[in-house]
């Protein structure tokens, strides 16, 4: 099918000219739709950040639309020389492209993710969801976009000669080219010099991959590596990466002046707490408040981060860069608490020094060869408590015996798994004897009536119970690696056993509300709620810097930072033919973004 009266070359030449102008007007349309990304992203405070935003807006959408034209429509110009058929194909392609872009802006607004095949599948898998309904409503405008594109195609065809005679094509192309190259060069500089008002815009637009060139700059003498590393160190705390808390903390009543003791037994899983394995702690739990369905916020040492900050581990790197202490710690300091920090391994985990207890002195000791390091830490704690005046105090004891369970030589028979398991529970029994010393000291020092005592762990451990070749910690988000003890002695509260789901993210909320008199909404400073709130919750949040785990009563959804997910049942068996509930997924993804500052 070809047109009569024109040669093939003339038809192709005119279609190429028409295609360039058609692509230009669609660039303008894409830029207008793209303003939705700008309104939903942090507005740069600096002039350079605003200049970069403008250049990237013009350059990115100009490049994106024109690249699609060159890759798809331009080759079709030589295959479909019929102007009517080619224009119809172009209109259909542009309609689909703009509709998908419109849907992506809505997805970005709803869950802060751009469209990928996985995100698309999840978004449209639950037709009863309000978000899905909103996205499907966008398809209603598709016929309107088609009609506008059809009218645009006809208008450009009729005005093509006039447009060509204005000689504005090259200046317009130069503007898009300079904007595209300029934005990438500015980002290269910003990335090398840690200029956050620009680097924070990295993921504003879809299919955006700003250029970086630190190695190239260093190779050609444009970047001094020592100065770069110095700037990297100096940048810590200089950029406001997260706003934590979101609002100023408010107080509704006078704080209670109870002391606080937190005992963290590293690597202790919940099912180790039995009358046979840990008799001292089992008795202590039966006489106090026990949370039987409690989860750490991480499957690694960053469970302590969630315990103190009430935030998912994904915020840890930003918190570290800002050197922001937990709201709970700052509030205790403001109310005059003295701090005593004790560890069986001298706080070997950098998390303590770099974030939780930053700029706070830790008690160190010379190890007595006759005692374990944990017992020495407990003895030093006892001596420290005796020295305290009438001011309330907060103390933290880290016990590491269970961390080193593989060092136990129980001469157990059986396969490797059985030996490891026996050694593990032997170490738990040993830790229980150390905890028994603490319980005795609490009584001997008359602390029962004026001290909140918390016994918990940073994470659990697994011996391949999930049959996924998972051992130890930080390998999956099963209950073996996440469920940990949570026992609280709280003066004035009657002993009770709670079976509702609770999380490490709830702990700081509980201390701030029930001890320190904070009246602010917990969502202003944490991702959890009060431990004693027994109403059902849709999910428990856990994860690390790379992944998020949303744990419900029936399944566990693990999502990475790109929106890819895996679904597991309650026994942590992979479910390949099911999708996670969209509301749960959206709430979890939203929780990972809530505290990022809007001032970048």
């Amino acid at each position: 099918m070809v047109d009569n009266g024109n040669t093939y070359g003339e038809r192709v030449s005119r279609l190429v000219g028409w295609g360039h102008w058609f692509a230009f007007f669609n660039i303008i349309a894409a830029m207008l739709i793209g303003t939705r990304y700008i309104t939903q992203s942090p507005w740069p405070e600096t002039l350079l950040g605003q200049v970069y935003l403008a250049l990237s807006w013009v350059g990115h959408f100009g490049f994106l639309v024109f690249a699609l034209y060159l890759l798809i429509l331009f080759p079709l110009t030589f295959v479909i020389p019929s102007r009517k058929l080619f224009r119809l194909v172009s209109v259909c392609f542009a309609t689909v492209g703009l509709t998908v872009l419109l849907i992506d802006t809505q997805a970005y607004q709803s869950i802060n993710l751009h469209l990928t095949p996985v995100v698309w599948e999840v978004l449209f898998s639950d037709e009863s969801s309000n978000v899905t309904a909103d996205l499907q409503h966008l398809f209603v405008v598709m016929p309107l976009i088609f009609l506008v594109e059809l009218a645009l195609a006809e208008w450009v065809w009729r005005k093509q000669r006039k447009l060509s005679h204005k000689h504005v094509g090259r200046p317009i192309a130069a503007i898009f080219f300079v904007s595209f190259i300029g934005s990438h060069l500015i980002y290269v500089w910003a990335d090398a010099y840690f200029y956050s008002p620009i680097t924070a815009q990295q993921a504003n637009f879809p299919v955006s991959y700003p250029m970086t060139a630190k190695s190239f700059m260093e190779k050609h003498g444009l970047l001094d590596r020592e100065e770069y590393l110095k700037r990297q160190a100096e940048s810590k705390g200089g950029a406001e990466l997260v706003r934590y808390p979101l609002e100023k903390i408010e107080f509704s009543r006078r704080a209670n002046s109870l002391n606080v003791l937190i005992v963290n037994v590293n690597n202790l899983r919940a099912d180790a707490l039995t009358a046979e394995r840990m008799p001292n702690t089992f008795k202590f739990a039966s006489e106090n408040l026990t949370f039987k369905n409690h989860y750490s916020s991480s499957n690694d040492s960053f469970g302590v981060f969630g315990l103190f900050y009430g935030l998912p581990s994904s915020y840890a790197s930003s918190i570290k860069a800002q050197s922001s202490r937990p709201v709970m710690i700052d509030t205790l300091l403001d109310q005059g608490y003295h701090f005593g920090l004790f560890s069986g391994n001298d706080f070997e985990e950098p998390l303590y020094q770099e974030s939780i207890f930053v700029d706070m002195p830790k008690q160190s000791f010379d190890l007595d060869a006759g005692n374990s390091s944990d017992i020495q830490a407990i003895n030093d704690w006892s001596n420290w408590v005796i020295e305290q005046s009438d001011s309330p105090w907060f103390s933290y004891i880290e016990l590491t015996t269970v961390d080193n369970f593989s060092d136990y030589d129980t001469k157990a028979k059986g396969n490797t798994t059985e030996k490891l398991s026996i050694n593990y529970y032997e170490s738990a029994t040993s830790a229980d004897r150390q905890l028994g010393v603490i319980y005795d000291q609490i009584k001997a020092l008359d602390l029962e009536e004026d001290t909140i005592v918390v016994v918990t762990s940073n994470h659990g451990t697994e011996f391949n119970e999930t049959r996924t070749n998972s051992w130890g910690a930080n390998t999956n988000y099963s209950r073996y690696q996440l469920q940990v003890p949570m026992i609280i002695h709280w003066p004035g509260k009657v002993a009770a056993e709670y079976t509702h789901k609770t999380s490490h993210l709830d702990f700081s909320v509980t201390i701030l509300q029930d001890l320190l008199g904070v009246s602010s909404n917990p969502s202003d400073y944490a991702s959890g709620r009060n431990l004693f709130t027994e109403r059902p919750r849709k999910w428990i949040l856990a994860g690390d810097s790379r992944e998020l785990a949303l744990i419900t009563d029936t399944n566990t959804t693990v999502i990475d930072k790109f929106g890819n997910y895996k679904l597991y049942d309650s026994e942590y068996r992979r479910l390949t033919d099911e999708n996670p509930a969209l509301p749960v997924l959206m709430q979890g993804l939203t929780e990972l973004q809530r505290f990022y500052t809007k001032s970048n």
Side-chain angles (χ1 to χ4, degrees):
M1 178 179 179
V2 295
D3 295 338
N4 294 323
N6 289 28
T7 65
Y8 172 83
E10 290 173 339
R11 288 192 296 273
V12 168
S13 177
R14 189 171 182 192
L15 286 174
V16 169
W18 173 87
H20 281 74
W21 284 108
F22 185 71
F24 166 71
F25 285 108
N26 274 283
I27 289 173
I28 302 301
M31 288 173 59
L32 291 174
I33 294 175
T35 57
R36 298 190 76 193
Y37 297 112
I38 297 175
T39 60
Q40 294 300 319
S41 301
W43 180 254
E45 288 188 344
T46 65
L47 178 60
L48 183 57
Q50 294 164 10
V51 169
Y52 172 80
L53 177 61
L55 290 176
S56 62
W57 174 58
V58 174
H60 181 72
F61 286 104
F63 172 80
L64 187 63
V65 174
F66 196 68
L68 290 173
Y69 164 75
L70 288 179
L71 291 173
I72 297 174
L73 294 182
F74 182 71
L76 292 179
T77 307
F78 302 93
V79 180
I80 312 174
S82 168
R83 65 178 181 84
K84 292 183 178 179
L85 180 58
F86 177 75
R87 284 163 53 195
L88 179 62
V89 170
S90 299
V91 165
C92 292
F93 179 76
T95 300
V96 171
L98 292 180
T99 303
V100 170
L101 182 62
L102 197 59
I103 293 172
D104 186 79
T105 63
Q106 189 69 23
Y108 184 77
Q109 179 179 345
S110 301
I111 61 175
N112 208 43
L113 285 175
H114 294 293
L115 287 179
T116 65
V118 173
V119 173
W120 182 283
E121 179 185 354
V122 172
L123 287 176
F124 291 99
S125 62
D126 185 0
E127 295 185 359
S128 63
S129 167
N130 292 332
V131 176
T132 300
D134 291 340
L135 290 170
Q136 289 176 342
H137 289 157
L138 293 178
F139 286 106
V140 175
V141 304
M142 198 170 184
L144 178 61
I145 295 176
F146 177 79
L147 293 176
V148 172
E149 289 287 344
L150 203 60
L152 175 65
E154 184 62 27
W155 182 83
V156 171
W157 183 262
R158 294 181 183 276
K159 301 294 182 179
Q160 182 181 349
R161 295 186 187 281
K162 282 188 176 182
L163 292 170
S164 299
H165 289 156
K166 291 182 182 295
H167 302 292
V168 295
R170 289 185 178 179
I172 290 174
I175 291 173
F176 286 117
F177 179 78
V178 170
S179 297
F180 179 75
I181 297 299
S183 64
H184 280 271
L185 291 178
I186 291 174
Y187 192 89
V188 166
W189 172 85
D191 179 64
Y193 286 84
F194 301 95
Y195 193 70
S196 61
I198 289 176
T199 56
Q201 302 179 46
Q202 178 181 8
N204 280 8
F205 301 130
V207 202
S208 176
Y209 304 101
M211 183 170 62
T212 59
K214 291 189 288 289
S215 298
F216 175 85
M217 293 172 70
E218 182 181 349
K219 181 178 179 181
H220 290 82
L222 300 174
L223 180 67
D224 185 276
R225 182 171 181 79
E226 290 185 2
E227 289 186 4
Y228 169 79
L229 294 175
K230 183 180 178 181
R231 283 193 299 272
Q232 186 179 41
E234 291 175 348
S235 70
K236 295 180 180 180
E240 186 182 11
L241 302 176
V242 296
R243 190 166 78 248
Y244 169 76
L246 293 174
E247 303 290 344
K248 184 180 178 180
I249 298 298
E250 302 289 342
F251 299 85
S252 64
R253 58 182 175 81
R254 186 176 180 180
N256 197 333
S257 58
L258 294 174
N259 306 314
V260 180
L261 166 63
I262 299 177
V263 184
N264 177 58
V265 185
N266 287 351
N267 204 29
L268 182 64
R269 55 192 264 173
D271 65 4
L273 185 57
T274 64
E276 294 75 23
R277 293 165 178 162
M278 301 185 70
N280 295 317
T281 305
F282 185 84
K283 181 176 182 293
F284 182 77
S286 67
E287 297 172 348
N288 292 287
L289 308 169
T290 307
F291 297 85
K292 302 289 287 186
N293 202 9
H294 186 82
Y295 287 76
S296 174
S297 56
S298 183
N299 59 1
D300 58 18
S301 59
F302 277 77
V304 180
F305 178 88
L307 186 74
F308 278 87
Y309 284 93
L311 299 179
S313 300
S314 59
Y315 289 104
S317 59
S318 297
I319 290 290
K320 173 186 171 182
Q322 294 178 198
S323 299
S324 299
R325 275 196 300 256
V327 169
M328 181 177 72
I329 295 293
D330 281 341
T331 306
L332 287 165
L333 286 169
D334 290 342
Q335 296 193 7
Y337 274 72
H338 293 170
F339 274 74
L341 310 175
F342 306 85
S343 170
N345 62 9
D346 199 24
F347 291 106
E348 186 178 87
E349 174 57 52
L351 171 67
Y352 290 108
Q353 320 288 343
E354 297 172 349
S355 299
I356 299 174
F357 301 134
V358 63
D359 297 329
M360 298 178 68
K362 293 86 179 172
Q363 276 66 33
S364 58
F365 51 84
D366 296 325
L367 183 62
D368 182 351
N371 285 320
S372 73
S373 59
D374 283 351
I375 286 294
Q376 184 66 61
I378 293 169
N379 291 337
D380 282 12
W381 168 79
S382 299
N383 294 331
W384 176 84
V385 170
I386 294 172
E387 295 172 356
Q388 297 313 299
S389 61
D390 293 335
S391 298
W393 50 260
F394 174 97
S395 58
Y396 178 81
I397 304 175
E398 180 189 29
L399 301 182
T400 59
T401 295
V402 185
D403 256 346
N404 305 313
F405 72 91
S406 57
D407 295 340
Y408 276 71
D409 183 16
T410 60
K411 299 181 181 179
K413 297 180 179 180
N415 58 37
T416 302
T417 302
E418 293 171 339
K419 290 180 180 178
L420 285 174
S421 179
I422 292 172
N423 288 351
Y424 176 82
Y425 290 117
E426 283 290 329
S427 70
T429 301
S430 179
D432 182 65
R433 288 193 289 269
Q434 296 165 357
L435 288 167
V437 174
I438 295 177
Y439 306 145
D440 291 341
Q441 287 295 318
I442 290 171
K443 293 180 180 179
L445 297 171
D446 293 325
L447 301 178
E448 292 178 295
E449 298 302 319
D450 60 4
T451 303
I452 296 172
V453 181
V454 180
V455 179
T456 189
S457 179
N458 52 359
H459 60 80
T461 196
E462 180 181 352
F463 300 104
N464 200 32
E465 285 93 344
T466 58
R467 301 293 186 267
T468 57
N469 199 30
S470 295
W471 308 83
N474 197 25
T475 54
N476 65 41
Y477 297 98
S478 66
R479 66 177 184 270
Y480 306 104
Q481 298 190 35
L482 289 179
Q483 277 195 273
V484 295
M486 174 56 76
I487 308 162
I488 302 178
H489 166 76
W490 197 304
K493 291 186 182 290
V494 179
E497 186 176 284
Y498 296 92
T499 58
H500 63 284
K501 272 190 172 68
T502 56
S503 166
H504 269 11
L505 302 178
D506 303 333
F507 177 73
S508 62
V509 175
T510 309
I511 294 295
L512 287 164
Q513 287 185 335
D514 294 1
L515 175 66
L516 302 176
V518 169
S519 60
S520 300
N521 191 320
S523 63
D524 287 343
Y525 56 85
S527 295
R529 66 184 192 185
N530 196 298
L531 282 166
F532 299 105
T533 302
E534 297 187 61
R535 68 175 183 273
R537 64 202 308 172
K538 294 181 179 179
W539 43 265
I540 288 287
L541 189 65
D544 57 22
S545 60
R546 298 168 288 107
E547 295 176 320
L548 165 71
L550 292 162
I551 303 150
T552 69
D553 292 334
T554 57
N555 57 50
T556 297
T557 305
V558 180
I559 318 156
D560 66 21
K561 60 183 178 180
F562 302 107
N564 302 310
Y565 69 86
K566 295 179 180 178
L567 193 64
Y568 302 86
D569 66 11
S570 58
E571 297 299 321
Y572 215 75
R573 293 185 293 256
R574 179 76 184 277
L575 300 173
T576 56
D577 299 325
E578 296 184 29
N579 291 323
L582 180 59
V584 172
L585 180 61
M586 286 186 56
Q587 290 171 27
L589 293 174
T590 300
E591 201 58 42
L592 295 186
Q593 302 294 329
R594 277 202 311 118
F595 288 90
Y596 283 110
T597 180
K598 300 298 182 184
S599 61
N600 283 338

